[in-house]
Amino acid sequence: MKPILFILHMPFEDNNVEGSNNTTWFCSHCALIEGALAANPGWKDYIDIRRIPFPRPRAELVDILGEDNQWVPVLIFDQGKTLTDPIEITTYLAGTYGGAAPHP
């Protein structure tokens, strides 16, 4: 089974951010992942990339990880292990599948 990478579909709407007139957003962590995917198009052959909507509950994640684990981005491995830090995710992908890694 391929590792599954969940990231948010962007941009997304969120009208519940206090003190802001903005209603359209992007997730900075997911944007970093999207940039790494653009720089490394071959990764898509090795991982299952799923772009999911912003609103909770995020049914696909709940089904796999449970109600309390809806954080994205998340890379889920066959053994149930997860990575949620975008630098750790992209470092792992580059180290495992080749391509560009985040610069230290």
Side-chain angles (χ1 to χ4, degrees):
M1 180 175 133
K2 291 181 179 182
I4 304 169
L5 176 64
F6 284 96
I7 51 181
L8 290 178
H9 179 76
M10 300 178 285
F12 56 85
E13 297 287 321
D14 184 2
N15 299 320
N16 299 315
V17 179
E18 286 188 38
S20 178
N21 294 329
N22 244 17
T23 58
T24 305
W25 306 91
F26 68 88
C27 167
S28 59
H29 292 152
C30 294
L32 187 151
I33 297 289
E34 287 285 15
L37 290 171
N40 297 287
W43 288 352
K44 71 181 179 327
D45 297 334
Y46 302 102
I47 60 174
D48 180 359
I49 303 166
R50 300 185 189 178
R51 292 171 178 87
I52 59 174
F54 171 75
R56 291 180 184 216
R58 297 177 179 138
E60 279 189 90
L61 279 178
V62 171
D63 289 346
I64 297 170
L65 297 176
E67 186 74 30
D68 294 335
N69 297 301
Q70 297 183 52
W71 175 265
V72 287
V74 61
L75 182 65
I76 304 170
F77 301 92
D78 198 14
Q79 310 84 358
K81 179 183 172 192
T82 62
L83 292 176
T84 58
D85 179 88
I87 300 297
E88 289 179 9
I89 291 170
T90 54
T91 299
Y92 169 82
L93 293 174
T96 304
Y97 306 116
H103 188 274

